[in-house]
Amino acid sequence: MNDYTKHLASRMTSGGLSRREFMGRAMAAGMTLALADALFTESAMAAEPKHGGHLKLGLEGGAATDSKDPAKFLSQFMFCIGRCWGDMLVESDPLTGAAVPSLAESWEPSKDAVTWTFKIRKGVKFHNGKDLTIDDVVATLKRHTDSKSESGALGVMKSIKEIKADGDNLVLTLTEGNADMPLLLTDYHLVIQPNGGNDDPFASIGTGPYKLLTFEAGVRATLEKNKDDWRKDRGYVDSIEIIGMNDATARIAALSSGQVHYINRVDPKTVDLLKRAPNVEILATAGRGHYVFIMHCNTAPFDNNDLRLALKYAMDRETMVKKILGGYGKVGNDFPINSTYALFPEGIEQRAYDPDKASFHYKKSGHSGSVLLRTSEVAFPGAVDAAVLYQESCKKAGINIEVKREPGDGYWTNVWNVQPFSTSYWGGRPTQDQMYSTAYLSKADWNDTRFLRPDFDKLLLEARSELDETKRKEMYRSMAMMVRDEGGVILPMFNDFVNASTKQVKGYVHDIGNDMSNGYVATRVWLDA
């Protein structure tokens, strides 16, 4: 019985899934009817969660600049905290990535997928005792469409022309048809708040399984169980403590000694060391996350595509996957989509390490002197080593890379999306459209490569409303080629999410959506004393 089946079973036994839903999900995961039926009783008995206890997580990614406003969530630290206290309208299935109900219990599109009607769940209360209403939902989504909110979801919300209530239902009218609309609402910034967070976006009042008690940016957060939670298939521990641990050595020591139950972003180079600890379990999940070297296409010297191509051909991807990921990942091809996405563009030639081509484009660019690359240990596990490794591969092409190691605290506000050449990571998104809309659309706030292409924007919008999947797939292929050959992203590898826990932690769900069980780790696991 795999972890996903256990997750389904835990939802079923706690009232979250009916037998019919369990069977449907299990068969969708590739099981036969007979096997799903046979596993039903076994998994139900094996996956019964235990309640109680105090769960401690040691997480990389926190910073003193972290904001409690969901619109401004940047780090994995806040990603996990937000998942504990807040809910979105829609969630994604851990195995398939398909949209599943949350605060919206169902939805219906118009025939052209321009208008979407969402039925909002009744009987849900916020942490302050106030009933969730359609007005709260409308206000939340409207706040994230306002550029003044500086929302990380602004790029995907710009496609919504009108947000209104129709009785107790939410009605969204889009600028053009979008078959992926429910999945766009899974964005982790779109936490539903009382009056949309307009009264106090920092209050951390939501409908989630835990209430935020204390918070010190980048240092620590404590949460307690929400006894009025509307769901019974989550929130098994009584309380949670999330501790900021940006130092990888400190995280490993804390887990090995039992000071914390779970840590994120385990450097693959330390996996063998951790495996020796008798009470530690490695949790590796393949998904859509990717490590990147990002160049601003509108900033010299990276406004020269020959220089960008030179730097792409100078990347030794196979060596990166082997030495930086320890084999826990796959090579990338300079566009942010892999085969886990629907309508993946097949047949694109894999870009390989080629010092001769790199040298050719470098000379053609006319650039001379060193190229400054900024990095930090918080950019991704092994980011500093990756920068040095890249520096060496560039030398063979006659390119001099100057590596500058930046402090971890403040990296996401002072370096990423600010400096013209740096290392970073992306956790992936539920759909190709959302990934491109968030990071490559010209007007996207998180367009961290400054990829400003009206023809790309036009194609993205056309693909969004194209209901013919064959045509849409070809559009996505064209978009991938634009980013690969003319964009500012060097994408050497798609990483597995490598985390670790003590063996006391049970019920961990491997979720392709994003790292740390798509951020839900603290709400999904339980402790076995």
Side-chain angles (χ1 to χ4, degrees), residues 4 41 43 64 70 73 85 177 205 222 286 342 366:
Y4 182 63
T41 302
S43 60
F73 284 172
W85 66 260
I205 295 174
T222 61

Side-chain angles (χ1 to χ4, degrees), residues 168-457:
D168 291 328
N169 293 330
L170 169 72
V171 179
L172 302 180
T173 303
L174 313 182
T175 54
E176 63 278 314
N178 191 336
D180 294 330
M181 189 63 223
L183 280 171
L184 299 187
L185 298 179
T186 67
D187 190 295
Y188 65 92
H189 300 92
L190 300 177
V191 177
I192 303 301
Q193 297 176 275
N195 191 30
N198 288 301
D199 300 329
D200 183 2
F202 311 103
S204 302
I205 295 174
T207 59
Y210 292 94
K211 298 179 181 180
L212 187 65
L213 292 180
T214 64
F215 175 79
E216 185 178 353
V219 178
R220 188 183 305 269
T222 61
L223 304 100
E224 67 175 359
K225 171 69 178 167
N226 172 22
K227 296 180 180 179
D228 296 322
D229 188 16
W230 59 277
R231 286 173 58 171
K232 297 181 180 179
D233 62 332
R234 62 182 185 177
Y236 302 113
V237 299
D238 291 333
S239 55
I240 300 169
E241 186 174 357
I242 301 176
I243 306 166
M245 292 185 176
N246 286 338
D247 184 82
T249 302
R251 289 198 303 279
I252 290 174
L255 182 70
S256 300
S257 64
Q259 295 179 47
V260 297
H261 298 101
Y262 175 94
I263 61 173
N264 69 335
R265 302 189 74 174
V266 173
D267 190 325
K269 293 186 298 183
T270 66
V271 167
D272 288 340
L273 175 64
L274 265 177
K275 283 181 177 179
R276 298 174 193 167
N279 192 41
V280 170
E281 182 176 359
I282 302 299
L283 304 168
T285 306
R288 298 164 178 168
H290 46 279
Y291 297 163
V292 290
F293 293 62
I294 50 177
M295 304 171 282
H296 289 183
C297 296
N298 65 347
T299 305
F302 308 104
D303 55 352
N304 185 310
N305 194 46
D306 276 298
L307 179 61
R308 298 198 296 270
L309 284 172
L311 293 171
K312 291 174 183 179
Y313 281 115
M315 175 62 72
D316 189 341
R317 300 157 202 277
E318 297 285 352
T319 300
M320 282 283 178
V321 171
K322 181 180 179 180
K323 293 190 175 182
I324 302 302
L325 297 183
Y328 287 95
K330 295 182 179 179
V331 296
N333 202 15
D334 297 337
F335 63 95
I337 306 300
N338 65 10
S339 59
T340 66
Y341 284 90
L343 307 181
F344 172 72
E346 299 168 342
I348 297 178
E349 181 182 0
Q350 174 63 53
R351 178 165 284 144
Y353 177 45
D354 193 328
D356 291 335
K357 282 188 178 180
S359 178
F360 168 79
H361 285 287
Y362 183 68
K363 291 175 181 177
K364 189 177 177 182
S365 74
H367 182 75
S368 61
S370 63
V371 177
L372 177 62
L373 170 65
R374 299 173 189 270
T375 188
S376 171
E377 66 277 0
V378 302
F380 56 79
V384 176
D385 289 341
V388 173
L389 191 63
Y390 181 51
Q391 183 183 52
E392 292 301 313
S393 69
C394 283
K395 282 182 181 178
K396 295 179 181 179
I399 302 172
N400 180 30
I401 299 292
E402 178 187 349
V403 176
K404 183 176 182 181
R405 184 171 182 171
E406 299 280 0
D409 192 18
Y411 186 80
W412 300 112
T413 51
N414 301 324
V415 179
W416 173 76
N417 213 10
V418 176
Q419 298 296 335
F421 193 27
S422 65
T423 57
S424 184
Y425 78 94
W426 279 92
R429 290 298 186 271
T431 67
Q432 291 197 51
D433 179 85
Q434 190 174 12
M435 187 67 245
Y436 284 130
S437 296
T438 302
Y440 296 89
L441 186 68
S442 293
K443 295 182 180 180
D445 288 347
W446 287 7
N447 183 348
D448 57 9
T449 58
R450 306 296 191 270
F451 185 63
L452 310 175
R453 288 283 297 268
D455 53 345
F456 177 90
D457 297 346

